[in-house]
Amino acid sequence: MSTIEHAGDLPAWAALVVSFFLVVGAGLALIGTIGFARLPTFYERIHAPTLGTSWGTGGIVMASMIFFTVLATRPVVHEILIGIFVTVTTPVTLMLLARAALHRDRAEGNPDVPPAAAEEPEAGEGQPTAGV
C-alpha cells in the first residue's frame, strides 16, 4: 500500500500543521493571482505572482515534507530541492521579463518609462579617475 492510503493514520497534531501550511501556501498563491489580475501595469503585475509563487510554494512544500515525514517515520527532505529551484528560478524569470518589457517600451518611445541611465565614459590615459 502507498503512503497516501495511510493518510488516515496521520496524527491530529500533524494534520493541523499540514493543513495550516497548505492553507497559507494556497492563500499566498491566491493573493499573487489576484494581484496579477488587478494591478494596472505590466511591471506591477509581474511582481505579485512572483512573490505568491515563491512563498506559496514554500508553504506547500513544507506541508508535503511534514506529511510524508510523519507517515514514513523517517525524514523526507527531497522536497527542499523543489523549493530551491522555485526560489532560484522565479526571481530570474521576473528580471528577464521586466528587462525585456523595459527594452521594448524604451524602443517604442513609451513616455511612462524612464530613459536609460547615461553611461560614464571609461577613464583613458591622461584623464583623472573618479575619487582622485
Side-chain angles (χ1 to χ4, degrees):
M1 288 173 85
S2 70
T3 306
I4 299 297
E5 293 171 2
H6 293 290
D9 298 336
L10 193 67
W13 67 267
L16 286 173
V17 174
V18 168
S19 299
F20 170 77
F21 280 114
L22 280 175
V23 169
V24 167
L28 290 169
L30 178 65
I31 289 170
T33 304
I34 292 170
F36 181 71
R38 303 269 331 245
L39 292 172
T41 67
F42 174 78
Y43 300 102
E44 293 171 342
R45 252 185 253 135
I46 60 174
H47 186 67
T50 301
L51 290 174
T53 299
S54 297
W55 289 99
T57 301
I60 292 171
V61 164
M62 190 63 113
S64 175
M65 286 173 53
I66 294 168
F67 179 82
F68 288 108
T69 296
V70 170
L71 285 183
T73 64
R74 63 179 174 80
V76 178
V77 293
H78 57 275
E79 284 94 344
I80 290 175
L81 288 174
I82 296 169
I84 290 170
F85 291 142
V86 169
T87 301
V88 169
T89 59
T90 301
V92 171
T93 305
L94 165 75
M95 289 187 300
L96 290 173
L97 285 171
R99 286 181 153 219
L102 188 62
H103 177 74
R104 180 201 62 213
D105 287 346
R106 285 182 179 155
E108 291 175 353
N110 188 342
D112 296 331
V113 177
E119 293 185 26
E120 294 183 22
E122 291 184 28
E125 286 190 37
Q127 295 179 349
T129 58
V132 176

